[in-house]
Amino acid sequence: MSDQAPAVTPDWSAQAADLRSQLQRHGHLYYVLDAPSIPDAQYDRLFRQLQALEEAHPELRTPDSPTQRVGGQAVDAFASVLHRVPMLSIQTETDISEHGARSFDARVRKQLHCQAADPPLDYVTELKFDGLAISLLYADHVLVQAATRGDGAVGEDVTHNVRTICQIPLRLPPQAPTKLEVRGEIYMRRDDFEALNERQRKKIASGAKNEKTFVNPRNAAAGAVRQLDPQMAAQRPLSFFAYALHFHPPQDLTLPPLEATLFGLQAYAGHAEVLRHLKDWGFPVSQHVKVVSGPDGLVAFHQEIARLRDQLPFDIDGVVYKVNSIERQALLGMVSREPRWAVAHKFPAQEEITTVMAIDVQVGRTGKLTPVAKLAPVFVGGVTVTNATLHNEDEVRRKDVRVGDTVVVRRAGDVIPEVVSVLLEKRLHESDCFHMPTHCPVCNSLAVREVGEADYRCTGGLFCRAQQKQAILHFAHRRAVDIEDLGEKIVDQLVDAGLVNTLPDLYRLGFSQWAALERMAEKSANNLLASVEKSKQTTLPKFLFGLGIRHVGEATAKALAKHFGGMDAIMDASIEQLLQVADVGPVVAQSLRTFFDQAHNREVVEQLRFCGLTWSEDAPQGRLDLPLAGHTYVITGTLPTLSRDQAQEMLEQAGAKVAGSVSKKTTAVVAGEAAGSKLEKALSLGIPVLDEAALLQLLQPPA
Ligand code: IVH
């Protein structure tokens, strides 16, 4: 038997290695590049195969195996880690205007003794991620240690937790140096954060003790990394971006901090090249990294990212500028643990802490009651905020916002400010939880919340002063009958003084009544009177839209006017007839019927007609005689003299349809200045493009 060839036993070790490398590659495609090349089920199958193999042959289990991400035991405390290369901080540019970027460039040039005539310097611009810094140590290509920053010299060993982050490679490819340290930011995406808090809320609701929701993604991420039990850390969805590479100087070589951080990097032309390598070695590197030239490049990046900030899937608190050349980084040196070659240029904070002075309930046009937190004034997102919406009853309950609470307020972009969360530990006194009022705070009518709706509504309708005011403002709006200069302050006075309760009252006011209003000069009173007079000449869609019927927006009003041709036909239409109109579904149809079934609403229409409001009533549908009937136009950009509304109205008067997007069916596109994608699309489809002059010519009645 001995001279026989050995029985062919499968090479389990090679198979395990093959499975590991396949899983590693697909994991990178999935977690880092977000571009999987195999279905999830296939990945799971490979994963289970490797698990089974390791189960049967435990000696094949390696620390870099994808099955070993959540392997570690819980610990009592974290071990300390001495950073061989210190983790430096970054200077913060205090001037948040664009001047901040320019003064950084000026400082750098001065220190490098650049002359005015010398060419602009190259910088790498990056995002300043709002997470926590981490150091990852690789030896023989394998992740061996992950540590927090700590005080920059000594951090905490959080290897077990960091291993659970799928975006962090456990093994590096052969082209990477065998021993290296990568630094970057661990963070939590906003959607992951919301989902985590949602899960936490469910746990709390079902009675779980010792569970809490998190204030923001950064706190949630920091908490996860510092969990003692890796099983718990693994349940928190964390992400990672790499932004620096370091090599350890030999043990016997003691280098000053900056020299230590730059040790071995002279082999790379610049920081941008370092980042390219990190990406090649499988680390996630932000796609927003850019190489820019001089101060103008820095400013342009700052502006670009400020615009983009709210669309990013994660929080940033600014941008970072870094001198690209490693050689210059070395020349620049450092001051008090901050290198002179980098600076963080912050954005205004989007979240701040303040206190809730009161919770008011506001009444909207359709009677919707909205709870609003009245806040101690706080500067957030670039403005001073004193009100923040609490949306509705469920939201207030969910966040448990109470008067006197310390809260986190968020204002991002132009979105209305909102209360994000309550700092419960700051709640000193027993306070009452919030209840929606049972009656409208303005007119005292019953407030009801219908089944399946989130909002309470005042049932007072147009008897409710808040709704009267909103109804009048809506009717007077430019896109409705357009009463110029009739603003909120004037409407408040008119309604509060009892001069106007219903829409027709507006048309019954004489000069002396207008002139008697606060701060109303004779000229303004005359102007208003003239505007009211002018608004009497309107169109059916504008009039109908102006009535403020729930669910009847401009487009629906137009469709109704076109279909029925006249006001009476609309008021009398049955549900079935209303449903014939393109654009009108059961909800809209019902809303119209409910509105016109109320005698006082029909009375308003009658009275308005009596007061002299007129519009042309078209024959239903049949305006095929009009010159542009059957043609569709798209308007884009800013026209030299006409507003877009005016151009649209003129086209529609001539029988054309005006659409919002370009398609093969578009007759022509009317383009003004700064026309963008719609114009491009028209050109690519070969659709004629008209300027304002050509449009006016088109609309000229035939001689
Ligand atoms: S570089 C010497 N780049 O900001 C410069 N830091 O102290 C070393 N941070 O908490 C840091 N985004 O985690 C660098 N693109 C970025 C960064 C960044 C965020 C954090 C870092 C640390 C602080 C700097």
Side-chain angles (χ1 to χ4, degrees):
M1 292 286 275
S2 62
D3 55 2
Q4 253 184 324
V8 183
T9 55
D11 185 346
W12 298 124
S13 160
Q15 225 179 76
D18 179 52
L19 282 168
R20 276 200 300 273
S21 91
Q22 281 194 62
L23 284 164
Q24 202 185 322
R25 192 161 57 82
H26 290 301
H28 180 245
L29 286 169
Y30 182 89
Y31 292 111
V32 179
L33 302 182
D34 204 8
S37 69
I38 55 168
D40 293 2
Q42 171 75 2
Y43 181 89
D44 292 343
R45 255 194 305 280
L46 292 170
F47 194 88
R48 283 195 303 271
Q49 272 179 28
L50 180 60
Q51 265 181 329
L53 197 58
E54 290 174 343
E55 196 76 23
H57 306 276
E59 72 281 4
L60 296 178
R61 228 171 243 155
T62 58
D64 65 326
S65 169
T67 62
Q68 301 304 298
R69 284 201 178 266
V70 197
Q73 296 290 309
V75 293
D76 294 330
F78 300 109
S80 295
V81 168
L82 178 71
H83 293 297
R84 288 291 318 284
V85 174
M87 285 182 87
L88 303 181
S89 338
I90 197 162
Q91 316 171 34
T92 302
E93 177 55 58
T94 43
D95 184 346
I96 63 168
S97 76
E98 79 166 55
H99 193 71
R102 299 193 185 276
S103 59
F104 170 64
D105 172 69
R107 277 200 308 278
V108 168
R109 286 180 74 90
K110 187 164 172 227
Q111 276 139 14
L112 292 173
H113 305 295
C114 293
Q115 302 298 310
D118 290 338
L121 296 172
D122 272 352
Y123 294 100
V124 177
T125 51
E126 298 178 16
L127 305 182
K128 183 159 190 322
F129 310 107
D130 200 5
L132 72 151
I134 202 86
S135 137
L136 305 171
L137 202 62
Y138 289 81
D140 293 330
H141 288 138
V142 175
L143 176 69
V144 290
Q145 185 188 73
T148 62
R149 179 172 183 278
D151 63 3
V154 178
E156 287 177 322
D157 185 334
V158 288
T159 315
H160 285 339
N161 293 338
V162 169
R163 290 172 60 86
T164 67
I165 303 173
C166 295
Q167 286 191 336
I168 294 183
L170 295 177
R171 164 177 285 275
L172 302 184
Q175 71 268 28
T178 54
K179 196 164 190 311
L180 55 85
E181 182 176 343
V182 168
R183 290 184 185 163
E185 197 90 346
I186 290 181
Y187 66 96
M188 195 177 283
R189 288 170 53 103
R190 272 202 286 268
D191 53 357
D192 285 334
F193 167 74
E194 296 297 340
L196 170 67
N197 262 355
E198 190 56 42
R199 288 200 298 277
Q200 291 299 105
R201 276 192 288 273
K202 288 210 175 110
K203 283 191 203 164
I204 295 167
S206 63
K209 294 272 173 299
N210 302 328
E211 294 288 353
K212 58 166 194 168
T213 54
F214 299 94
V215 176
N216 58 37
R218 190 194 49 241
N219 286 3
V225 167
R226 300 193 68 261
Q227 276 287 330
L228 293 170
D229 182 354
Q231 299 278 356
M232 303 298 287
Q235 289 166 24
R236 306 268 185 90
L238 296 175
S239 303
F240 175 74
F241 278 126
Y243 53 63
L245 168 70
H246 299 282
F247 295 104
H248 289 189
Q251 291 282 0
D252 53 358
L253 191 63
T254 333
L255 293 176
L258 187 79
E259 275 82 344
T261 60
L262 296 178
F263 181 80
L265 292 181
Q266 277 77 7
Y268 303 91
H271 178 64
E273 195 190 317
V274 168
L275 293 180
R276 260 195 303 279
H277 279 96
L278 289 177
K279 202 169 161 192
D280 283 349
W281 302 337
F283 291 97
V285 173
S286 164
Q287 64 183 43
H288 296 290
V289 168
K290 255 194 183 153
V291 181
V292 304
S293 171
D296 291 344
L298 299 180
V299 169
F301 182 75
H302 187 260
Q303 286 171 350
E304 179 191 335
I305 301 301
R307 259 199 317 275
L308 221 82
R309 182 183 191 189
D310 297 321
Q311 289 153 40
L312 292 173
F314 46 80
D315 284 350
I316 58 172
D317 53 359
V319 290
V320 180
Y321 310 136
K322 300 177 179 174
V323 171
N324 187 29
S325 151
I326 307 283
E327 205 176 311
R328 291 203 174 103
Q329 289 184 6
L331 284 171
L332 281 159
M334 56 184 270
V335 259
S336 63
R337 310 204 68 75
E338 293 173 350
R340 285 204 191 90
W341 53 262
V343 77
H345 198 185
K346 295 259 191 133
F347 290 142
Q350 289 181 321
E351 287 189 359
E352 277 300 345
I353 289 173
T354 186
T355 47
V356 177
M357 322 283 278
I359 300 178
D360 278 5
V361 173
Q362 291 179 353
V363 188
R365 178 169 65 82
T366 55
K368 179 179 152 183
L369 305 191
T370 306
V372 175
K374 299 280 158 181
L375 306 168
V378 60
F379 191 74
V380 55
V383 298
T384 301
V385 167
T386 51
N387 289 325
T389 181
L390 293 166
H391 301 290
N392 55 48
E393 181 181 44
D394 292 347
E395 280 286 300
V396 188
R397 288 278 169 78
R398 186 168 76 68
K399 293 173 182 160
D400 191 17
V401 182
R402 303 182 188 188
V403 175
D405 277 349
T406 304
V407 293
V408 177
V409 179
R410 181 177 174 88
R411 180 184 181 272
D414 292 330
V415 183
I416 34 176
E418 62 165 357
V419 170
V420 179
S421 59
V422 175
L423 302 182
L424 284 176
E425 63 277 18
K426 296 244 165 108
R427 185 179 283 164
L428 299 175
H429 309 286
E430 262 313 300
S431 48
D432 294 328
C433 76
F434 173 80
H435 290 285
M436 279 302 269
T438 53
H439 290 80
C440 170
V442 174
C443 73
N444 210 28
S445 301
L446 196 67
V448 293
R449 177 178 176 177
E450 269 157 40
V451 186
E453 295 249 338
D455 298 314
Y456 275 80
R457 276 175 203 283
C458 161
T459 54
L462 289 178
F463 296 113
C464 174
R465 253 195 289 150
Q467 289 178 71
Q468 284 169 10
K469 288 178 183 174
Q470 297 298 328
I472 292 164
L473 282 169
H474 179 75
F475 188 71
H477 192 270
R478 190 171 51 77
R479 308 179 86 104
V481 304
D482 189 11
I483 309 181
E484 245 176 274
D485 303 323
L486 187 65
E488 216 168 302
K489 293 232 166 63
I490 297 174
V491 170
D492 278 353
Q493 288 189 60
L494 292 173
V495 175
D496 291 342
L499 287 169
V500 174
N501 296 111
T502 67
L503 300 175
D505 293 343
L506 279 172
Y507 294 89
R508 298 188 183 116
L509 298 177
F511 172 79
S512 56
Q513 285 157 313
W514 286 110
L517 296 179
E518 252 175 63
R519 281 194 286 273
M520 179 71 72
E522 188 174 317
K523 183 152 173 267
S524 320
N526 270 321
N527 285 347
L528 263 162
L529 208 54
S531 302
V532 169
E533 195 54 37
K534 193 169 152 221
S535 74
K536 289 183 182 173
Q537 290 293 330
T538 184
T539 67
L540 179 54
K542 282 173 173 251
F543 179 76
L544 190 55
F545 170 61
L547 292 176
I549 305 166
R550 230 181 135 201
H551 305 301
V552 178
E554 267 183 297
T556 308
K558 273 185 191 160
L560 286 162
K562 196 163 176 189
H563 185 92
F564 290 103
M567 193 61 205
D568 292 322
I570 298 172
M571 290 201 288
D572 294 336
S574 66
I575 296 267
E576 292 70 35
Q577 288 168 329
L578 288 165
L579 287 171
Q580 302 286 310
V581 184
D583 242 28
V584 172
V587 175
V588 180
Q590 188 54 58
S591 171
L592 280 156
R593 249 333 338 130
T594 308
F595 187 87
F596 289 120
D597 278 344
Q598 305 197 39
H600 65 92
N601 288 333
R602 296 178 83 99
E603 180 66 21
V604 163
V605 173
E606 280 323 305
Q607 291 286 328
L608 284 168
R609 277 170 157 164
F610 184 75
C611 291
L613 269 91
T614 56
W615 54 84
S616 65
E617 301 223 333
D618 295 347
Q621 296 279 326
R623 302 308 313 249
L624 294 173
D625 52 320
L626 288 173
L628 299 182
H631 292 274
T632 304
Y633 290 80
V634 172
I635 308 170
T636 177
T638 313
L639 302 175
T641 67
L642 294 175
S643 75
R644 248 194 266 191
D645 284 346
Q646 284 170 324
Q648 173 161 359
E649 203 165 312
M650 290 165 82
L651 279 162
E652 285 173 349
Q653 289 285 329
K657 203 176 145 204
V658 175
S661 60
V662 180
S663 75
K664 272 189 279 188
K665 295 198 183 128
T666 309
T667 311
V669 168
V670 180
E673 204 175 321
S677 59
K678 289 179 194 171
L679 176 59
E680 274 170 35
K681 181 142 185 218
L683 294 172
S684 75
L685 292 174
I687 288 167
V689 177
L690 310 178
D691 61 6
E692 186 182 284
L695 171 71
L696 292 172
Q697 183 135 40
L698 177 78
L699 293 168
Q700 288 243 318

